[in-house]
Structure formats: C-alpha cells, structure tokens
Amino acid sequence: MDTVDQATRSRIMARVRSKNSSPEMVVRRLVHSAGYRFRLHRRDLPGTPDLVFPGRNKVIFVHGCFWHRHEGCALARIPKTRVDFWTAKLDANRERDERSISALRALGWEVLVLWECELVDGTSLLRRLVAFLGPTTASAAGRRTPRS
C-alpha cells in the first residue's frame, strides 16, 4: 500500500525531471570543469543524449537507477503498489534505451551510460570520463589538464 494519497503521489511524480536532473548536473559540472565542451539534449539524435560531444562523436547518458532499471542496484526496486503498471513502464524505458544506444552506435557514435549510483565517487567518475572522452583540446596543447 502506498504511504501517501493518490493526489500527493501524482504531485510528487510530476516534479521528477527528465532534463537538468541533479545527477545530470553533477556530470555536467564535472565535465565542464575538466575542460570539455559539449551540447545538451540533441533532439536530432536517437534517445536525445544528455551530453553530446560532436567533434569527438561521443555521447553520454546519465540514467536514474529507478527510471532505467539499473540491474543489481538498490535504487532500482519496483514500487509495491501497481506492480504491473510499473514493471511495464520501466521495462519499456529500458527497451527504448537499448534501441537508442544501438541506433547511435549504428550512426558511428560512441556511447557512455552513467548511472545515478555511480556518481558518488567524483575521482573515479572523472577518471572514467577522461578515459572515455580522451584529452581535452586545451590539455593536448599543454595549456590545461583536467582536474582530479
């Protein structure tokens, strides 16, 4: 049974953002402070990636563990009410993600998926981002290196 009434639950769910979420903002700030420049939410690409690096042909998705069903994650549990509804909805989200990633790869884009639960350790996150994105143009010229 839900712990709040239907109107309250509806109000809570309506406030969940699809863009500019807290996890996404963490990644954006870290990537920008490391010297990388990017575009946001390119609607002309499959899945509308959160961060797009056109010159590198790379994209990053920042997924919420609940909404995208992060396998094995405690944040990805199914609610106890309306189990059929939530299972169908979250499975559809996951299938759509897989189709989008496949389509992007078919177009020649490299894809990195970051999960909400992985954003806790900033140092390892930065290492992972730099490994995926490669050197910044400024650091390649010797002017600036990503912060650790």
Side-chain angles (χ1 to χ4, degrees), residues 21 23 62-79 90 93-94 97 113-120:
S21 64
V62 182
H63 284 339
C65 295
F66 171 76
W67 293 105
H68 298 269
R69 303 255 339 240
H70 187 197
E71 212 169 298
C73 179
L75 300 175
R77 66 189 177 281
I78 298 286
L90 299 175
N93 287 353
R94 194 167 188 168
D97 292 341
V113 175
L114 297 174
W115 294 96
E116 174 184 11
C117 65
E118 297 173 332
L119 307 182
V120 197

Side-chain angles (χ1 to χ4, degrees), residues 3-23:
T3 57
V4 294
D5 62 274
Q6 189 174 4
T8 303
R9 177 63 59 208
S10 181
R11 213 172 32 256
I12 291 168
M13 297 311 279
R15 293 186 55 136
V16 176
R17 297 176 174 186
S18 63
K19 295 178 182 172
N20 305 321
S21 64
S22 296

Side-chain angles (χ1 to χ4, degrees), residues 38-142:
F38 49 88
R39 298 287 171 255
L40 297 174
H41 313 294
R42 288 244 325 246
R43 296 184 69 189
D44 61 325
L45 293 175
T48 312
D50 297 313
L51 287 82
V52 180
F53 302 83
R56 300 169 188 271
N57 251 30
K58 297 182 180 192
V59 298
I60 296 176
F61 287 99
V62 182
H63 284 339
C65 295
F66 171 76
W67 293 105
H68 298 269
R69 303 255 339 240
H70 187 197
E71 212 169 298
C73 179
L75 300 175
R77 66 189 177 281
I78 298 286
K80 291 184 172 120
T81 58
R82 302 181 65 204
V83 174
D84 293 338
F85 166 80
W86 283 110
T87 302
K89 178 174 183 49
L90 299 175
D91 284 345
N93 287 353
R94 194 167 188 168
E95 290 167 12
R96 186 188 64 239
D97 292 341
E98 290 170 7
R99 283 193 310 271
S100 299
I101 291 169
S102 294
L104 283 164
R105 288 187 174 138
L107 292 170
W109 291 87
E110 288 184 57
V111 180
L112 175 65
V113 175
L114 297 174
W115 294 96
E116 174 184 11
C117 65
E118 297 173 332
L119 307 182
V120 197
D121 183 4
T123 305
S124 68
L125 176 60
L126 180 60
R127 267 191 246 119
R128 189 169 171 203
L129 288 165
V130 170
F132 175 70
L133 295 171
T136 63
T137 53
S139 66

